[in-house]
Amino acid sequence: MTKSTLVKDYMTRAVITVTPDTPNEEVIQLMKKTGHDGFPVINNGEVIGMITAFDFLLKKWAGYVRDIMSTDVVVADESMSLNDAARVLFRMGISRMPVISEKGTLVGIITNTDIVRSHIERSTPMKVRYFKKTLEQLYNIKTKLVHEKVPIDRLRPTQNRVYADELQGRTYELRRGLAEPTIVVKTGNRFILVDGHHRTVASRKLGFKEIDSYVITLDEDIKLGMEKTADKEGIFSLDDVEIIDDAQHPLIAITGPLRKDDKVIKK
């Protein structure tokens, strides 16, 4: 069974926390000892802030956590998808987010390391083999899998939007030779792009003519369900794919001052 791709399945549950009354010198030593660059601040069982290495760099930090902690806390929900969590971490330029339960209590923390670990476990080779097997069972056909370069302009996209911040990430990977192959289904003379839209759009913007792909070739010409959906939505080429600024689709929960009457919290 494929593991779920939600924050709750990959978050780190053993969370190191501090209190508003923790001396900042102790936090510095804790950061050196653990290698972590931030900790949730807990008061009476609630998350009221974060203390990070940036707080020490940007503020006069003699005293206690309450004097320099950030009270606008970016948090994740247990049911948030890993993709959304990764997008938030990237957009905000942070490496970790506290994970809050429905009751508002701290249940874990999701970090860049957790995201990378999940990515390794759900890597493209495993995904493409699963997709190949699904096609064979769904259509009762034989398929052939090859790893090759495909002309970008021959690809038929199956989604009509990509996110600007993810394009930045894929561009970074492409420039360093780190990007994973896309997944393409060849049916008849058509190359249907089923996974890797962000990488494809980023490659095209960088001027690449071909893209590294896992190509699943069907032994007969079949119109895929996702292809029919693309027809209905008017998606026929990469020119029909819109680049969306994530500001139009907020994914971030910012708690702000959780307890305005608490003297510990300052704006």
Side-chain angles (χ1 to χ4, degrees):
M1 180 179 294
T2 304
K3 191 171 183 180
S4 175
T5 56
L6 302 179
V7 163
K8 65 181 179 181
D9 299 302
Y10 286 94
M11 67 183 184
T12 300
R13 296 182 181 276
V15 186
I16 300 173
T17 64
V18 297
T19 71
D21 297 322
T22 302
N24 286 325
E25 287 288 354
E26 289 187 16
V27 179
I28 289 290
Q29 295 305 315
L30 191 58
M31 287 182 176
K32 290 180 179 179
K33 181 179 179 180
T34 63
H36 296 173
D37 61 3
F39 307 105
V41 182
I42 304 295
N43 189 42
N44 296 326
E46 296 182 21
V47 178
I48 63 168
M50 282 285 291
I51 182 76
T52 71
F54 287 107
D55 294 318
F56 288 98
L57 289 172
L58 300 176
K59 304 171 186 176
K60 185 177 179 180
W61 53 270
Y64 300 90
V65 165
R66 63 174 175 265
D67 300 317
I68 65 170
M69 69 180 190
S70 301
T71 56
D72 284 343
V73 189
V74 181
V75 299
D77 181 85
E78 290 179 282
S79 60
M80 178 184 278
S81 74
L82 284 169
N83 285 342
D84 286 352
R87 187 176 296 135
V88 172
L89 290 171
F90 179 82
R91 286 183 61 201
M92 299 299 293
I94 56 180
S95 62
R96 56 192 59 232
M97 288 189 293
V99 182
I100 307 299
S101 70
E102 291 183 359
K103 296 180 180 179
T105 58
L106 181 71
V107 293
I109 197 162
I110 189 75
T111 70
N112 284 334
T113 301
D114 297 323
I115 299 294
V116 171
R117 177 169 57 87
S118 73
H119 182 69
I120 292 172
E121 291 184 12
R122 303 176 293 117
S123 60
T124 300
M126 182 183 301
K127 182 162 52 176
V128 74
R129 287 193 294 269
Y130 175 80
F131 192 71
K132 177 179 182 293
K133 184 176 181 180
T134 300
L135 285 173
E136 290 173 343
Q137 294 176 343
L138 182 63
Y139 295 104
N140 192 27
I141 57 174
K142 293 182 179 180
T143 67
K144 181 176 66 174
L145 174 63
V146 294
H147 186 187
E148 62 183 6
K149 291 188 179 297
V150 176
I152 290 178
D153 287 339
R154 292 199 65 183
L155 292 176
R156 167 73 183 277
T158 53
Q159 67 183 51
N160 62 357
R161 61 179 55 187
V162 293
Y163 293 99
D165 63 341
E166 287 195 32
L167 283 182
Q168 292 180 33
R170 300 297 82 75
T171 300
Y172 176 90
E173 293 172 352
L174 283 164
R175 285 174 172 163
R176 287 157 181 78
L178 300 174
E180 292 187 347
T182 61
I183 300 177
V184 174
V185 174
K186 183 176 184 296
T187 175
N189 293 319
R190 304 183 307 284
F191 290 82
I192 311 301
L193 179 62
V194 299
D195 185 82
H197 284 74
H198 284 88
R199 190 205 159 172
T200 302
V201 173
S203 297
R204 194 182 190 214
K205 288 175 70 68
L206 288 173
F208 290 102
K209 301 300 182 183
E210 296 180 320
I211 191 164
D212 193 30
S213 305
Y214 288 107
V215 180
I216 304 171
T217 302
L218 310 187
D219 69 348
E220 57 182 283
D221 189 348
I222 294 175
K223 191 123 181 178
L224 304 178
M226 61 184 67
E227 193 177 0
K228 295 177 181 178
T229 300
D231 284 341
K232 292 179 181 179
E233 296 183 1
I235 311 168
F236 299 103
S237 74
L238 290 169
D239 292 329
D240 300 316
V241 178
E242 183 181 6
I243 299 175
I244 302 294
D245 184 343
D246 262 2
Q248 300 176 36
H249 303 275
L251 297 169
I252 302 173
I254 300 184
T255 65
L258 294 176
R259 297 168 61 189
K260 294 181 180 179
D261 58 336
D262 195 322
K263 294 180 181 180
V264 168
I265 294 181
K266 303 174 182 178
K267 286 296 287 182

